[in-house]
Amino acid sequence: MKALFIGGTGTISTAISSQLIQNGCELYLLNRGNRNNLLPDGAKELKADINDEQAVAALIKGLSFDVVADFIAFVPSQLERDYRLFKDKTRQFIFISSASAYQKPLSDYCITEGTPLANPYWAYSRNKIACEEFLLRLYRDKGFPITIVRPSHTYDERSIPLGVHGSKGSWPVAKRMLEGKPVIIHGDGTSLWTMTHSSDFARAFIGLMGNIHALGETVQITSDETVTWNQIYESIATALGVKLNAVHVASDFLAACGMLIGVDYGGALLGDKANSVVFNNAKLKRFVPGFTATVRFDEGIRQTVDFILSHPEYQTDDPEFDAWCDKVVVAQQQALKAVFG
């Protein structure tokens, strides 16, 4: 198989790239070359900014692919560009959408690809919906061979997956755990969530590549494991070897307070993580027979924590977020004192 990835060094795409190389795929990665240390040995780099359409057209002149996948398209105009570049150069174009595009609030707790798309809380999700609609029109009207993939919360060894963190990533929350400080969990922590390890996602994604049954289709890729946010944070604390000091804070209150540090919890929480989600992956398993996600969250998070603790370059402090957490916790305590006198 001959494939081109636009991006290729993110949480999802890095795992896919590595597995494809191991499978003998002829893989091209189109990116700006800023994260060359993450490129798998054997991949062929096409160094360019995808937004420089003329430069990219020159790079791919004379090339054609079995699969082109764009991991960094977020608005329809970017897909309009992709169509111009690849309409005659690929047998399959894969777009990475998002499970956050599903309706909020849900009308049914169990999510399938037929669940309606609507997210009034998050522009990111609405843009992904618009991208899907654009591609489906291309498929219907022009026969462009698209496949739409909807991931949910996918993680790898480089970042601890959380519900509430600052703009500099998840390490500051882990650091608070290690220091015994209060750690904020949105809501009461009992809402249901699904975490998917990138290695599991990669195996499913590769099963869709070059798959004739996936053309014109939308497929979600998640683990079948369902966990609560309390279980997620407890698993992280256990992996760190500490006792969790959890403080539960209402999601809408966090959404309002997030503006103080420039974080959109209105989208990330109210439009995504504050909602209970359970995914039905029957369609994926029909297209990729035998696929099962095998990395249980408590096992996967141990690998992540071990990696981050041994790699200081992934331990980025965020004093602003740390102070914000303390401020939110104190505000909630003061509110309780005001009520009870």
Side-chain angles (χ1 to χ4, degrees), residues 169-195:
S170 57
W171 168 250
V173 177
K175 186 178 179 182
R176 289 182 69 87
M177 289 186 184
L178 290 168
E179 295 173 349
K181 291 182 177 179
V183 172
I184 294 171
I185 300 178
H186 60 276
D188 63 2
T190 61
S191 59
L192 303 177
W193 197 245
T194 297
M195 294 287 189

Side-chain angles (χ1 to χ4, degrees), residues 288-302:
V288 187
F291 171 75
T292 301
T294 59
V295 181
R296 204 174 65 207
F297 180 71
D298 60 324
E299 297 171 342
I301 201 61
R302 281 200 298 270

Side-chain angles (χ1 to χ4, degrees), residues 14-307:
T14 297
I16 302 169
S17 298
S18 297
Q19 289 189 25
L20 280 174
I21 291 296
Q22 293 171 14
N23 293 347
C25 175
E26 183 180 356
L27 178 63
Y28 292 76
L29 299 178
L30 174 61
N31 56 51
R32 290 174 293 179
N34 295 336
R35 304 173 76 184
N36 282 348
N37 61 311
L38 299 175
L39 298 180
D41 292 338
K44 300 177 181 181
E45 183 184 9
L46 298 177
K47 191 172 181 179
D49 185 338
I50 184 61
N51 296 305
D52 187 345
E53 189 172 335
Q54 287 187 331
V56 173
L59 270 179
I60 63 174
K61 185 177 181 180
L63 293 174
S64 61
F65 306 94
D66 296 304
V67 178
V68 172
D70 193 337
F71 292 88
I72 54 174
F74 302 99
V75 294
S77 61
Q78 294 169 328
L79 293 173
E80 292 172 7
R81 171 208 63 210
D82 287 353
Y83 177 66
R84 290 191 297 268
L85 286 168
F86 303 111
K87 61 182 178 180
D88 299 317
K89 289 184 171 292
T90 186
R91 298 170 185 267
Q92 182 186 31
F93 179 88
I94 303 180
F95 167 62
I96 312 304
S97 185
S98 170
S100 68
Y102 290 120
Q103 64 180 177
K104 304 294 183 301
L106 288 164
S107 57
D108 189 306
Y109 79 97
C110 188
I111 296 173
T112 71
E113 288 81 358
T115 297
L117 305 182
N119 192 327
Y121 301 99
W122 206 1
Y124 164 82
S125 305
R126 294 193 296 275
N127 285 333
K128 288 289 190 178
I129 294 170
C131 287
E132 290 195 22
E133 292 172 344
F134 171 75
L135 287 176
L136 288 170
R137 285 196 300 271
L138 282 182
Y139 174 72
R140 289 192 298 264
D141 298 344
K142 299 182 181 297
F144 190 47
I146 60 105
T147 298
I148 296 169
V149 170
R150 293 181 188 142
S152 185
H153 203 156
T154 307
Y155 70 102
D156 66 4
E157 73 279 3
R158 294 174 289 175
S159 180
I160 298 170
L162 294 164
V164 179
H165 61 76
S167 60
K168 296 183 180 179
S170 57
W171 168 250
V173 177
K175 186 178 179 182
R176 289 182 69 87
M177 289 186 184
L178 290 168
E179 295 173 349
K181 291 182 177 179
V183 172
I184 294 171
I185 300 178
H186 60 276
D188 63 2
T190 61
S191 59
L192 303 177
W193 197 245
T194 297
M195 294 287 189
T196 307
H197 195 272
S198 61
S199 63
D200 283 331
F201 185 96
R203 289 188 296 106
F205 187 92
I206 291 170
L208 295 175
M209 292 176 63
N211 188 328
I212 60 172
H213 302 292
L215 297 180
E217 295 284 356
T218 300
V219 187
Q220 61 193 23
I221 299 179
T222 78
S223 170
D224 291 321
E225 180 185 21
T226 300
V227 287
T228 67
W229 282 103
N230 286 332
Q231 289 174 322
I232 290 167
Y233 278 77
E234 284 287 358
S235 295
I236 295 168
T238 298
L240 288 166
V242 298
K243 181 177 175 58
L244 178 64
N245 181 7
V247 175
H248 295 92
V249 180
S251 296
D252 55 356
F253 183 74
L254 290 172
C257 293
M259 294 186 294
L260 296 173
I261 53 172
V263 177
D264 181 16
Y265 292 127
L269 287 181
L270 302 182
D272 195 25
K273 299 178 182 66
N275 298 268
S276 282
V277 295
V278 176
F279 294 94
N280 181 332
N281 291 304
K283 186 174 183 179
L284 169 64
K285 293 176 182 180
R286 189 168 72 250
F287 289 168
V288 187
F291 171 75
T292 301
T294 59
V295 181
R296 204 174 65 207
F297 180 71
D298 60 324
E299 297 171 342
I301 201 61
R302 281 200 298 270
Q303 299 170 18
T304 298
V305 166
D306 289 346
F307 180 87

Side-chain angles (χ1 to χ4, degrees), residues 315-337:
Q315 301 173 18
T316 303
D317 289 335
D318 189 347
E320 183 183 30
F321 172 76
D322 195 48
W324 177 85
C325 289
D326 291 335
K327 191 172 183 178
V328 170
V329 170
V330 169
Q332 181 160 275
Q333 292 171 342
Q334 290 174 341
L336 286 172
K337 288 180 181 179

